[in-house]
Amino acid sequence: MLITVLGSGTSQGVPVIGCQCPVCRSKDPRDKRTRTSILIRTDKVTVAVDAGPDFRMQMLREGIDHLDGVFITHEHKDHIGGLDDVRPFIFSQGNKPMPLFVDKSALPEIKREFSYAFKEHLYPGAPTYDVHLIDETPFDFGDLHVEPIKMKHYTLTCYAFRIGKFAYVTDLSEVSQHLMSKLQGVEYIIIEALGRVPHYSHINLQQAVEMAQQLHVKKAWFTHCSHHIGKTVDVNAELPDNMCLAYDGLSFEV
Ligand SMILES: [Zn+2]
Ligand SMILES: [Zn+2]
Ligand SMILES: [Zn+2]
């Protein structure tokens, strides 16, 4: 299984429009963060977890020419804003509706945002989705065995996805015992780390590090970073050896 970090930035991305802070002015490509998403590739399937506003450029950047489905963590715009841009895959893959794996609580927002995709009489060229409602019941997609895990994201429900020894955990306001028990045995993990201070709807770097330590993972990468986290080079120097900030374009095998 090949994991590629499509985007590693929080909802505004990094640099933030108009910001002159050292992180936003950094020349390090790792400090240019598009909105958070990953791609999972196996011999059988290619799946995106979320499709945010930068989805189109992320697909072009990584040279992706095939997509079998999208797993949705939750309905925030930075995670669904690019769902219209799955159209080229729909068109090139025989006009098959794009499979979307989504919780029932997130679906109304997707239907509102992309109402034209759910009309009885579709305007020509409109995207079509094959909606699969998820809960915490594990499901198989291609050769992936996926375990969705419910998390609290302030007032919303958000899902982490565990696939074997790998887990992707973003947009959570608290690290619950439920989550930690479901993540036991994970060896490779991507966890969100918004910034340095407590936040009402996200966990910060310290919480993410503690989570990775308690799970005894082999390797942890941190994502959904804001410009407040600092420059990648400086943050990595502070972190334990088996942890670092993710960056756009990072790929690794699990
Ligand atoms: Zn987000
Ligand atoms: Zn900034
Ligand atoms: Zn969110």
Side-chain angles (χ1 to χ4, degrees):
M1 182 164 68
L2 180 69
I3 308 294
T4 299
V5 173
L6 297 171
S8 59
T10 188
S11 58
Q12 297 184 78
V14 182
V16 175
I17 295 172
C19 185
Q20 301 298 327
C21 84
V23 178
C24 289
R25 285 176 19 227
S26 165
K27 296 271 187 278
D28 186 340
R30 295 174 299 175
D31 292 326
K32 313 277 183 223
R33 300 182 183 279
T34 62
R35 268 61 70 89
T36 290
S37 169
I38 61 166
L39 193 73
I40 301 168
R41 281 175 276 189
T42 68
D43 291 341
K44 294 231 168 81
V45 283
T46 299
V47 178
V49 182
D50 293 330
D54 301 308
F55 178 80
R56 175 175 172 271
M57 292 312 295
Q58 292 165 342
M59 291 296 109
L60 292 170
R61 188 191 75 214
E62 299 298 330
I64 309 304
D65 59 7
H66 184 86
L67 189 70
D68 295 299
V70 184
F71 301 165
I72 302 292
T73 58
H74 67 302
E75 65 267 43
H76 275 152
K77 188 61 149 280
D78 53 325
H79 298 261
I80 65 163
L83 279 177
D84 186 80
D85 285 317
V86 301
R87 288 184 300 139
F89 296 114
I90 295 173
F91 301 153
S92 67
Q93 294 168 190
N95 286 314
K96 271 196 353 229
M98 180 58 64
L100 285 190
F101 292 79
V102 59
D103 185 84
K104 66 178 189 309
S105 66
L107 191 58
E109 190 63 22
I110 292 174
K111 285 188 168 174
R112 197 186 62 75
E113 190 76 22
F114 303 97
S115 59
Y116 52 90
F118 294 90
K119 290 215 161 100
E120 200 176 326
H121 299 289
L122 290 177
Y123 195 88
T128 49
Y129 306 117
D130 173 19
V131 173
H132 299 253
L133 288 180
I134 60 167
D135 50 27
E136 287 199 317
T137 311
F139 63 91
D140 292 320
F141 188 60
D143 49 355
L144 296 174
H145 182 68
V146 186
E147 296 172 68
I149 308 166
K150 273 189 189 188
M151 307 183 292
K152 216 169 138 179
H153 181 29
Y154 190 46
T155 56
L156 298 185
T157 295
C158 182
Y159 279 83
F161 293 101
R162 176 175 183 167
I163 301 168
K165 302 276 182 203
F166 170 73
Y168 181 66
V169 184
T170 191
D171 291 65
L172 62 163
S173 42
E174 60 186 54
V175 182
S176 68
Q177 284 197 346
H178 173 70
L179 174 65
M180 291 300 276
S181 70
K182 293 271 190 181
L183 291 175
Q184 288 305 313
V186 158
E187 293 179 358
Y188 303 92
I189 195 163
I190 298 179
I191 311 173
E192 81 153 341
L194 181 75
R196 303 280 185 160
V197 296
H199 191 276
Y200 62 94
S201 63
H202 295 276
I203 62 169
N204 60 30
L205 185 62
Q206 189 189 336
Q207 289 169 290
V209 167
E210 283 168 10
M211 226 183 117
Q213 282 170 334
Q214 285 166 21
L215 291 169
H216 304 289
V217 294
K218 287 188 179 153
K219 181 85 188 177
W221 295 265
F222 303 123
T223 194
H224 210 293
C225 303
S226 80
H227 58 160
H228 298 302
I229 203 152
K231 287 188 191 178
T232 305
V233 64
D234 299 333
V235 179
N236 285 350
E238 296 171 28
L239 290 173
D241 284 347
N242 63 337
M243 303 183 198
C244 62
L245 296 191
Y247 55 88
D248 291 24
L250 165 72
S251 277
F252 57 89
E253 294 264 1
V254 177

